[in-house]
Amino acid sequence: MSALHPTPHPKERRIIFENISKPGYAADIDTYIANGGYESLKKAVTMKPSEIIDAVKAANLRGRGGAGFPCGTKWSFIKYDDGKPHYIVVNGDESEPGTFKDRYILHQDPHQLIEGLAISAFATNTRLAYIYIRCEFPHAAKIVWKAIQEAKARGFIGKNLLGSGFDLDIYVHQGAGAYICGEETALLESLEGKRAYPRIKPPYFPAVLGLYMKPTIVNNVETLCHVKHILRIGAAEYARMGTPGDGGTRTMCVSGDVMRPGIYEFPCGAVTIRELIFDVCGGLKPGRTLKAVIPGGSSAKIMRAGEVYKIKGKGPDGTMVDKDLPMLDVVMDASTLQSVGTMMGSAGVMVLDDSRDMVWALNNLNQFYAHESCGQCTPCREGSLWMSKMTTRMLDGGGRDKDPKTLQDIANNIAGRTICAFGEACSWPTQSFLAKFPEEFEKAARS
Amino acid sequence: MRREEKQRNHGMTEMKTRQVEQMTPEFEADVEELISHYPVSKRSASLPLLHHWQNHFGFVDDTGIEWIAAKLDLTPINILELLTFYPWFRREAAGKTIIRVCRTLACAMAGSYDVKEKFCEAVGLDPHVEHHGFGSAPPTTPDGKFSVEFVECLACCGSAPVALIGDDLVENIKPSDVPAIVKNLK
Ligand SMILES: Cc1cc2nc3c(=O)[nH]c(=O)nc-3n(C[C@H](O)[C@H](O)[C@H](O)COP(=O)(O)O)c2cc1C
Ligand code: SF4
Ligand code: FES
């Protein structure tokens, strides 16, 4: 399991992945401590909880699970002294197609997560935490559980951790093969022992009503790992690595038609799509040209090679003007990707070359969403299945003239009309594939 | 069980086993340990107990559903509805080794449909039989050694195509590698 290349690209800066795939590095606590582990937690317990949260805010850390919510802000929704129990649930469900970063952290550097989690627990007065790991990572569940016991034996967690008077228990909870458990309220239902039906919003944040209807933080695995590094290198220094709205580094997972797929880590906003595909990932297969990029996990809207976006930017005299931004020059960061109509999401970058049939590719994703809808909302349950049946029929030569229009209508009637963001996640591929590659869908409709 | 019979049952088996009678004291001790991980609500131990039961007995029969429900002060439907919701759980025996090939985009682009077909051929299963979930087992060889199924993204798309074989992930699988992989499992 080594998707990380031995020599980092000059643009890379490995913080989260510093020890991943490093020769001689193991998941045990001695190795971790020998590499400077648990120093940030020692620092944290000498700080005021509010100072820790302020540092995370100042670091501009955004969640790495997909929605990109500012982490410090999320934590500050928890009132330290409200007399209620608080919980933290780590989202290690990692099931957005194209995303495979947490896998490496959980298997190879579990103490990094435990340290970040312990710091966040100390900052939010949380005494019980769960790490929810998808059951398709059976080894990871064992490795993380062992790491928890090691950390407890050394006094980094458990009763009166590091002599601070603070107690923290952490347990591992395994999923059972359902993608929807990645949605945070479904995750909580699942952890409560129920079907993973996402909860009706509001409240929008589990910080209001979460696990067992108590204030709860749900954070992605990678997000919590960053917390350790914020305390280690200082919030200002950490923030400076990234862009004004997005501090630190960000891991990226590249898959599909490139020479060197794998995991990479860059300062936020450091690479363009061109640099990522052609420099870092070694370009396309011999003789192939770029056709499309899905930049942020399978639900992110697809980008077509060669398109030029109109964005607002500062002109030479400082006023805002329309600018042309060619697709390859788009910077891989949250705000730029949003301004061109897609998203950074989970940073799962899928690359498609000119050999790919877009109806086929969309059908693959439609089948995924049809299979994974939890079934609570009619538009999502029925619509995802209809879209999948239609693209399958088009592929099998049974296309009808009205299919592209009907597909579009179905997708438009799911997004915005459902309990959870899966509704958007399953409509965006159909909407964007149709918008960007209309000729392929029209052709399949005529067949 | 023959296929026609199974279809009449909407994919469900007739429950003739009584797994609960095979329970050991060690098994029960592990159950207590698992329940202790959820000091706030015992119900949270539902998924862990189902995993534990399935790992031990191979699947969860009606006696398992009833036993887990009673243990957690729930009604059997609270457990049955989990078995029919979560694709991982099943109410009938699967092969000793389950081969789960990733079906999703990165793996499909790298040839996972071919790879899955090769796995079916190598173990002697019809590659075209579909698996519909709801607690039924994936297609399984008559000798009970292997099951093969498609699953969605296994979060290892950078080394596509991949398969989870038992507990182990196998990456960058070429269709031509498949016979040797299966031979090593036998
Ligand atoms: C359908 C759906 C699937 C999701 N899957 C995941 C996932 O696998 N892992 C994850 O960390 N977040 C996932 N999320 C995002 C979570 O709901 C949540 O925003 C995130 O875990 C919060 O952590 P963060 O703020 O640290 O990013 C998913 C969201 C939706 C709507
Ligand atoms: S949008 Fe889909 S996945 Fe989300 S709650 Fe509704 S049916 Fe379930
Ligand atoms: S698509 Fe197969 S592992 Fe992600």
Side-chain angles (χ1 to χ4, degrees):
Chain A
M1 213 173 57
S2 171
L4 196 67
H5 299 284
T7 32
H9 184 272
K11 285 240 163 181
E12 272 194 84
R13 172 121 189 233
R14 293 185 189 166
I15 292 174
I16 298 296
F17 287 157
E18 185 182 355
N19 296 317
I20 304 291
S21 303
K22 197 161 88 179
Y25 193 84
D28 65 274
I29 196 163
D30 290 320
T31 306
Y32 187 67
I33 291 171
N35 283 269
Y38 287 111
E39 290 301 321
S40 294
L41 179 61
K42 287 183 193 158
K43 194 186 283 181
V45 296
T46 67
M47 294 167 74
K48 283 213 229 54
S50 60
E51 284 173 348
I52 300 174
I53 297 182
D54 288 343
V56 174
K57 280 185 182 163
N60 281 333
L61 172 63
R62 282 179 179 270
R64 302 297 197 244
F69 194 82
C71 182
T73 309
K74 186 187 278 190
W75 291 7
S76 61
F77 295 153
I78 301 267
K79 292 190 190 60
Y80 192 90
D81 279 326
D82 57 7
K84 297 177 190 168
H86 304 157
Y87 305 112
I88 298 179
V89 181
V90 181
N91 192 338
D93 195 53
E94 189 158 76
S95 29
E96 176 72 14
T99 317
F100 47 99
K101 59 195 178 70
D102 299 337
R103 148 187 297 283
Y104 293 93
I105 299 169
L106 294 168
H107 283 92
Q108 297 186 28
D109 206 3
H111 284 286
Q112 187 181 192
L113 170 62
I114 295 167
E115 184 172 6
L117 172 54
I119 296 167
S120 71
F122 185 77
T124 55
N125 198 9
T126 298
R127 283 142 204 266
L128 180 58
Y130 289 95
I131 304 178
Y132 190 111
I133 301 178
R134 63 182 300 193
C135 69
E136 293 87 340
F137 294 173
H139 294 304
K142 291 200 184 88
I143 291 166
V144 174
W145 181 231
K146 180 164 167 261
I148 290 169
Q149 282 159 323
E150 286 175 333
K152 199 166 175 176
R154 303 285 182 98
F156 294 116
I157 59 173
K159 279 247 164 310
N160 186 22
L161 61 86
L162 290 172
S164 64
F166 185 76
D167 306 334
L168 171 63
D169 278 321
I170 306 176
Y171 297 102
V172 170
H173 185 89
Q174 286 185 283
Y179 163 75
I180 195 58
C181 293
E183 197 274 350
E184 58 189 11
T185 60
L187 187 94
L188 297 176
E189 288 288 300
S190 182
L191 183 48
E192 289 184 3
K194 302 171 191 160
R195 284 185 164 194
Y197 287 140
R199 292 181 183 166
I200 293 175
K201 288 97 190 159
Y204 291 99
F205 292 102
V208 181
L209 291 175
L211 184 65
Y212 309 131
M213 294 300 151
K214 293 291 185 291
T216 301
I217 301 277
V218 182
N219 268 137
N220 170 259
V221 169
E222 184 194 335
T223 311
L224 288 174
C225 292
H226 280 280
V227 170
K228 162 200 163 155
H229 300 285
I230 292 171
L231 292 201
R232 182 172 62 81
I233 51 191
E237 182 65 23
Y238 179 91
R240 233 188 331 270
M241 275 192 284
T243 61
D246 211 348
T249 60
R250 150 134 239 176
T251 66
M252 286 186 199
C253 320
V254 186
S255 61
D257 298 320
V258 290
M259 292 301 285
R260 285 196 298 274
I263 47 172
Y264 300 93
E265 183 176 357
F266 306 97
C268 288
V271 285
T272 62
I273 293 184
R274 184 197 311 279
E275 288 165 329
L276 182 65
I277 294 179
F278 292 96
D279 301 345
V280 177
C281 297
L284 300 154
K285 309 266 165 67
R288 289 287 163 208
T289 55
L290 183 66
K291 184 165 190 179
V293 175
I294 303 173
S298 66
S299 54
K301 289 189 172 174
I302 196 164
M303 307 167 79
R304 180 172 179 151
E307 60 185 348
V308 177
Y309 305 99
K310 293 265 179 247
I311 58 155
K312 296 258 180 248
K314 271 210 181 87
D317 58 354
T319 57
M320 295 304 266
V321 291
D322 281 337
K323 280 189 172 175
D324 283 346
L325 179 62
M327 184 262 199
L328 285 177
D329 294 331
V330 169
V331 177
M332 290 289 298
D333 73 13
S335 61
T336 315
L337 285 167
Q338 199 181 348
S339 70
V340 302
T342 180
M343 65 171 181
M344 189 79 221
S346 61
V349 184
M350 301 168 112
V351 179
L352 287 80
D353 71 22
D354 60 337
S355 68
R356 301 300 171 187
D357 175 333
M358 289 295 141
V359 182
W360 176 88
L362 178 63
N363 184 54
N364 183 283
L365 296 180
N366 282 350
Q367 290 187 347
F368 170 81
Y369 289 107
H371 186 259
E372 300 299 337
S373 166
C374 86
Q376 276 194 111
C377 322
T378 310
C380 170
R381 180 188 63 240
E382 304 298 316
S384 61
L385 189 61
W386 292 344
M387 294 193 297
S388 156
K389 285 184 170 175
M390 284 185 64
T391 47
T392 301
R393 175 166 55 64
M394 289 169 88
L395 272 184
D396 291 345
R400 298 170 197 157
D401 286 350
K402 277 201 288 195
D403 283 350
K405 169 90 179 50
T406 313
L407 271 174
Q408 182 91 58
D409 284 348
I410 299 169
N412 293 350
N413 280 298
I414 303 172
R417 291 176 162 81
T418 58
I419 292 172
C420 88
F422 184 105
E424 281 74 35
C426 76
S427 341
W428 286 342
T430 290
Q431 289 172 334
S432 62
F433 274 67
L434 281 165
K436 299 294 169 76
F437 298 92
E439 69 284 3
E440 294 194 30
F441 286 87
E442 276 151 27
K443 186 157 169 261
R446 279 195 303 271
S447 58
Chain B
M1 183 183 296
R2 293 203 334 273
R3 262 210 91 63
E4 309 83 78
E5 262 177 299
K6 214 162 147 175
Q7 265 156 11
R8 246 202 342 264
N9 270 335
H10 304 286
M12 290 299 172
T13 50
E14 286 166 30
M15 292 297 169
K16 296 215 174 93
T17 55
R18 293 195 53 78
Q19 291 172 331
V20 72
E21 287 163 7
Q22 258 81 64
M23 196 169 334
T24 60
E26 297 77 49
F27 183 93
E28 287 197 73
D30 290 340
V31 166
E32 296 306 331
E33 163 72 23
L34 287 169
I35 294 175
S36 77
H37 295 184
Y38 303 95
V40 182
S41 163
K42 271 208 287 194
R43 185 172 181 176
S44 283
S46 302
L47 261 60
L49 293 199
L50 281 167
H51 277 299
H52 185 51
W53 194 283
Q54 182 162 295
N55 290 343
H56 190 83
F57 294 109
F59 64 101
V60 186
D61 75 359
D62 285 357
T63 65
I65 293 172
E66 281 159 16
W67 190 85
I68 293 172
K71 192 85 206 167
L72 301 178
D73 297 330
L74 301 169
T75 60
I77 187 66
N78 298 136
I79 300 300
L80 175 61
E81 68 173 0
L82 304 179
L83 269 155
T84 55
F85 182 89
Y86 291 97
W88 195 259
F89 299 132
R90 55 183 178 269
R91 301 184 64 201
E92 55 184 17
K96 204 167 142 271
T97 303
I98 304 182
I99 300 170
R100 298 181 169 96
V101 182
C102 174
R103 189 208 65 83
T104 321
L105 190 55
C107 287
M109 295 201 301
S112 67
Y113 277 71
D114 272 355
V115 165
K116 188 206 166 206
E117 208 166 302
K118 286 284 180 304
F119 271 117
C120 288
E121 282 166 14
V123 303
L125 281 170
D126 177 355
H128 304 293
V129 173
E130 283 190 33
H131 170 217
H132 288 293
F134 314 114
S136 63
T140 301
T141 53
D143 62 7
K145 281 198 177 138
F146 294 102
S147 295
V148 178
E149 67 174 332
F150 258 150
V151 291
E152 300 299 341
C153 181
L154 286 168
C156 206
C157 328
S159 32
V162 300
L164 188 64
I165 303 185
D167 279 355
D168 299 318
L169 187 80
V170 187
E171 301 168 75
N172 293 118
I173 306 171
K174 289 198 265 317
S176 57
D177 298 341
V178 167
I181 296 174
V182 170
K183 208 166 153 205
N184 276 335
L185 294 169
K186 275 183 177 160

